[in-house]
Amino acid sequence: MMAVLVTGGAGYIGSHTCVELQNAGYDVVVLDNLSNSSEESLKRVKAITGKEVTFYRGDILDREILNKIFAEEQITCCIHFAG
């Protein structure tokens, strides 16, 4: 299955994008440092879609977490909303 990495996915625009991606049949992986968002939005995504979002808490400037995500997940594309 194609997995989409959504950076800033716990924010307003990112979480709405996650809903649309999941409804379109994509697996969603979110990377967010929660500086301007909350994990609560991802709980709402699950409540709306019935599908779990894979969540990593971290910063896009952290190579270690990016390497981990790309090693563990089958990311085929990325949508960037992290500020």
Side-chain angles (χ1 to χ4, degrees), residues 14-78:
S15 62
H16 282 75
T17 301
C18 291
V19 169
E20 295 305 317
L21 287 168
Q22 285 187 325
N23 284 338
Y26 294 96
D27 289 332
V28 175
V29 177
V30 168
L31 171 63
D32 202 303
N33 67 7
L34 303 178
S35 66
N36 194 26
S37 57
S38 169
E39 282 187 72
E40 187 62 34
S41 62
L42 299 177
K43 292 177 186 174
R44 291 183 186 136
V45 169
K46 182 179 178 185
I48 292 167
T49 65
K51 300 174 188 173
E52 194 74 40
V53 173
T54 303
F55 174 65
Y56 291 86
R57 183 173 183 173
D59 196 278
I60 60 169
L61 298 176
D62 182 349
R63 280 185 193 239
E64 192 172 304
I65 196 162
L66 288 172
N67 288 335
K68 178 180 180 176
I69 291 169
F70 281 96
E72 293 180 4
E73 310 294 336
Q74 295 184 345
I75 304 298
T76 56
C77 59
C78 175

